[in-house]
């Protein structure tokens, strides 16, 4: 989770620049080997406390961070220069490389079950990454997804009087070459510049997921409150 570039309505690149100065935009703020995040995310579904999390407390857990504010799908060879800084969009590369590392070094393919979980924008990303995970993992691995607060709808936003998430997804796609990614190869709108947002907005994506999903849509997510 953690939002994405442009959702704060200050523009895509200015927003990415501000994120790059925080732990939402750079791993340099996460501590050695992600130590700060190991502590921060040891709660809820990730908690190792049996009394709080009796089902998943003893599971192996991997935290994926896209860093570039584009829902794990940044895919640009060259950075974009903004405000004297180089902004890199390689969240897709980060994700694919992490999965390969888990396969080759940490026994991911030996797992009996895999759960892909995310909250808010991370919950949205879970929805359009599920089919990729299904193809990547061996068929014998049981795969399930948890999208927590990630059901973003394609409706008019009262504050901006526009289809907010449609606008955001098209901005991300245009800046990060999303239309070229294998994660969207099953989307019927992958080659349509105007309709590509349907490959990323939750209400359309969820119809084509081939794995079991558990959907939680929190009334406390600030972005949901904006569209009610």
């Amino acid at each position: 989770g953690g939002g994405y570039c442009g959702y704060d309505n200050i523009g895509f690149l200015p927003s990415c620049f501000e994120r790059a100065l925080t732990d939402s935009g750079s791993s340099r703020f996460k501590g050695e080997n992600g130590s700060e995040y190991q502590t921060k995310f040891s709660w809820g579904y990730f908690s190792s406390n049996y009394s709080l999390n009796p089902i998943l407390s003893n599971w192996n857990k991997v935290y994926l961070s896209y860093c570039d504010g584009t829902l794990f799908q940044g895919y640009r060879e060259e950075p974009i220069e903004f405000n004297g800084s180089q902004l890199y969009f390689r969240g897709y590369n980060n994700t694919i490389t992490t999965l390969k590392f888990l396969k080759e070094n940490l026994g991911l393919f030996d797992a009996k079950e895999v759960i892909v979980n995310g909250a808010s924008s991370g919950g949205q990303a879970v929805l359009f990454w599920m089919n990729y995970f299904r193809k990547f993992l061996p068929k014998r691995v049981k795969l399930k997804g948890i999208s927590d607060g990630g059901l973003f709808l394609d409706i008019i936003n009262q504050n901006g009087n526009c289809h907010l998430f449609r606008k955001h997804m098209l901005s991300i796609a245009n800046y990060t070459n999303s239309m070229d990614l294998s994660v969207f190869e099953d989307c019927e709108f992958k080659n349509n510049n105007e309709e590509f947002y349907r490959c990323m907005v939750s209400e359309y994506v969820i119809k084509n997921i081939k794995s079991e999903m558990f959907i939680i849509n929190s009334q406390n997510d600030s972005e949901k409150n904006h569209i009610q």
Side-chain angles (χ1 to χ4, degrees):
Y4 39 77
C5 293
Y7 85 106
D8 44 17
N9 292 321
I10 65 171
F12 186 84
L13 291 179
S15 178
C16 288
F17 174 77
E18 290 193 1
R19 288 176 63 92
L21 305 177
T22 71
D23 63 3
S24 293
S26 175
S27 59
R28 73 179 65 179
F29 303 108
K30 299 182 187 298
E32 185 175 357
N33 294 325
S35 57
E36 293 182 18
Y37 268 50
Q38 291 176 29
T39 300
K40 182 177 180 181
F41 286 94
S42 295
W43 50 267
Y45 312 114
F46 302 100
S47 175
S48 297
N49 186 327
Y50 178 82
S51 63
L52 298 176
N53 187 22
I55 297 178
L56 302 177
S57 58
N58 64 343
W59 283 45
N60 296 308
K61 300 146 194 164
V62 178
Y63 176 73
L64 289 170
S65 178
Y66 45 85
C67 280
D68 63 2
T70 65
L71 301 168
F72 300 92
Q73 64 182 59
Y75 189 66
R76 290 184 63 96
E77 289 293 329
E78 300 298 327
I80 295 177
E81 184 170 344
F82 179 81
N83 204 21
S85 296
Q86 303 291 316
L87 301 178
Y88 291 85
F89 296 95
R90 296 177 182 171
Y92 176 85
N93 307 59
N94 291 346
T95 303
I96 299 302
T97 301
T98 300
L99 292 177
K100 289 181 178 178
F101 181 86
L102 294 174
K103 171 187 173 182
E104 296 169 3
N105 298 280
L106 297 178
L108 175 62
F109 278 23
D110 296 327
K112 294 181 180 179
E113 291 186 80
V114 170
I115 294 177
V116 185
N117 172 63
S120 194
S121 60
Q124 180 184 2
V126 164
L127 295 175
F128 58 70
W129 271 90
M130 283 302 296
N131 287 347
Y132 182 92
F133 271 81
R134 183 63 280 171
K135 291 179 180 179
F136 180 77
L137 293 167
K139 291 183 179 180
R140 57 178 170 74
V141 176
K142 293 182 180 179
L143 176 66
K144 302 179 188 297
I146 300 176
S147 177
D148 190 344
L151 193 59
F152 294 87
L153 305 178
D154 186 29
I155 61 178
I156 294 290
N157 174 273
Q158 293 178 353
N159 294 341
N161 195 30
C162 67
H163 288 81
L164 185 63
F165 299 115
R166 182 186 305 187
K167 171 186 174 183
H168 288 333
M169 296 307 104
L170 286 176
S171 292
I172 289 176
N174 289 334
Y175 277 105
T176 64
N177 301 328
S178 298
M179 295 177 70
D180 297 331
L181 303 185
S182 56
V183 70
F184 297 117
E185 65 182 5
D186 293 331
C187 178
E188 63 179 299
F189 301 100
K190 64 180 180 179
N191 296 318
N192 187 321
N193 290 323
E194 294 183 0
E195 299 291 322
F196 181 73
Y197 69 88
R198 292 177 181 268
C199 300
M200 303 160 70
V201 175
S202 305
E203 70 174 89
Y204 305 115
V205 176
I206 200 170
K207 300 174 183 178
N208 299 313
I209 296 176
K210 298 178 175 62
S211 302
E212 292 184 55
M213 295 294 303
F214 184 59
I215 306 296
I216 309 168
N217 216 45
S218 171
Q219 64 180 349
N220 297 316
D221 189 300
S222 61
E223 287 300 316
K224 307 303 182 302
N225 293 337
H226 290 170
I227 62 175
Q228 289 178 347

